[in-house]
Structure formats: C-alpha cells, structure tokens
Amino acid sequence: NTSTTMKLAIATTLAASAAAFAPASKPASTTSLSAGFENELGAQAPLGFWDPLNMVYEQDQDRFDRLRYVEIKHGRIAMLAVTGHIVTTAGVRLPGDIDYHGTSFASIPVGLAGLKSIPTEGIIQIVAFIGFLELFVMKDVNGTGDFPGDFRNGGSKSWDKLSEEDKLKKRAIELNNGRAAQMGILGLMVHEMMGGSGYVINDLLGYPVN
C-alpha cells in the first residue's frame, strides 16, 4: 500500500543520504586499509569528514569509490526528481493523453500520488526506460572515466580544457547539489504523505501551492 511504499522510500533515501556527506574521491588510488579520506573533495565545513555509519572505516579506495559512485548517482536522480516535482507543480505537462482511455497527462497528480493514476502499462514503460539508461547509457561504457560518476565516454572535450582547480570545483558543486536534492525530495515526499505542502517557503510568503 501507499504507507508501506512511503516507508520504504524514506528508508532507502536515508540510507543513501548516510553516505551523502562523505567526501568525493580524487583520481589518485590507494589500496591501504588505513587510507585517510579526511582531505578528499567533499569533506568541507561545517561538518568536515562525516561518516556516522562508518561506511568507509578501514576500507580501501575501491570501496570508497564504489560508495562515491552510488552517492553521485543518487544525487543526480534526486536533482531530476526535485526539478520534475517543481515543474509539474507549476502546471507544466505534456499535451495529450497517457493512454487510449482518455487519461490526460494534465490529470496526473504531482508527486507520489501520481503513481496511482499512471496506468500499469505506463509504469512498465518507465521502469523499462530507466533500466535501459542504467544498463547502456548512464555508465562508464569505455572504462576511461577519471573519477566515479564520470560518464563522459570521450564525448565532452570542453571538460579537458578546464584547469584541475575548476574541475574539482565543478565536481564539488554537483556533489553538494546532489546531497541537497536528496534531502529536498525526501522532504517533499514526507510533507506530501503528512497531508501538507512541501513548499513551505511559498506558504510563508503568502503564495501557497495548491
């Protein structure tokens, strides 16, 4: 049911966010079990290096890079989720119907409630599309990535023109935006299930979102 689905979604998001504030890795590699990650990209004020579940305690660089890869992926998904939530809440929808029974895109509710209105065939198509991206597109196809989450596959020459400092800065921006988005989409889901609006600032400013 919806309550169980929500609990699972929250648990999954919290588990992903537990490592969300661990630092991003650098291209350098080490196999030492005592490798220190305190100075890696992402360990910044005010928390510094923060690993409350000890997920990288006495772990090597390969394990760290795997967790970093998962964090970046979850962050990217969360950023898309937050953007989609904002856009659909603003009333932007695809034209036409989602099925042959006359269910229009505009009639699909925003957020988790929309899952109950999408036809089963539509859910299957969404899952299949995500699976396709996961298996064939959103990955280091050529094995030439410089860091976890590097899916350029030789297709972004502009990145190579940046200085090392700018590269680290841009990676840090993506990492932090992904962390914020994970907490953001979690907040939107929780508020929705509590019967309130996730857009608290709008309410405070006198522009409630219906």
Side-chain angles (χ1 to χ4, degrees):
N1 55 35
T2 303
S3 177
T4 301
T5 301
M6 183 58 193
K7 291 178 180 177
L8 289 173
I10 293 175
T12 301
T13 306
L14 286 175
S17 299
F21 296 94
S25 61
K26 293 179 181 179
S29 177
T30 177
T31 58
S32 173
L33 292 178
S34 61
F37 304 114
E38 291 80 3
N39 296 320
E40 294 283 357
L41 180 68
Q44 57 195 43
L47 293 175
F49 178 76
W50 196 65
D51 182 24
L53 299 182
N54 290 327
M55 298 184 72
V56 295
Y57 178 68
E58 293 188 344
Q59 298 296 317
D60 60 15
Q61 189 71 42
D62 289 338
R63 175 62 176 168
F64 180 88
D65 288 346
R66 171 59 185 168
L67 293 176
R68 170 61 60 239
Y69 171 81
V70 172
E71 177 189 9
I72 291 175
K73 176 184 287 188
H74 287 172
R76 290 169 177 172
I77 293 171
M79 286 189 280
L80 289 172
V82 170
T83 301
H85 203 290
I86 294 173
V87 169
T88 52
T89 298
V92 179
R93 304 297 176 86
L94 292 173
D97 299 332
I98 195 173
D99 59 19
Y100 293 113
H101 301 291
T103 305
S104 65
F105 285 103
S107 68
I108 304 296
V110 175
L112 294 173
L115 293 176
K116 296 184 294 184
S117 299
I118 299 177
T120 302
E121 294 82 357
I123 296 292
I124 293 175
Q125 291 180 50
I126 292 173
V127 172
F129 180 64
I130 293 174
F132 172 78
L133 293 178
E134 176 76 13
L135 294 175
F136 302 106
V137 180
M138 303 304 293
K139 59 186 300 183
D140 182 10
V141 178
N142 301 322
T144 57
D146 292 333
F147 49 85
D150 181 5
F151 298 156
R152 290 176 296 140
N153 294 306
S156 179
K157 302 300 182 183
S158 59
W159 176 262
D160 296 328
K161 298 179 182 179
L162 298 175
S163 66
E164 291 302 317
E165 181 180 357
D166 286 339
K167 289 179 181 179
L168 290 175
K169 181 179 179 180
K170 289 183 178 296
R171 288 175 57 197
I173 290 173
E174 179 190 26
L175 182 64
N176 288 324
N177 285 348
R179 291 169 174 175
Q182 288 178 74
M183 302 308 295
I185 193 61
L186 174 62
L188 288 171
M189 291 190 297
V190 169
H191 278 277
E192 178 182 344
M193 296 308 296
M194 291 176 62
S197 171
Y199 299 93
V200 180
I201 301 299
N202 295 67
D203 294 341
L204 294 176
L205 296 177
Y207 299 97
V209 177
N210 297 322

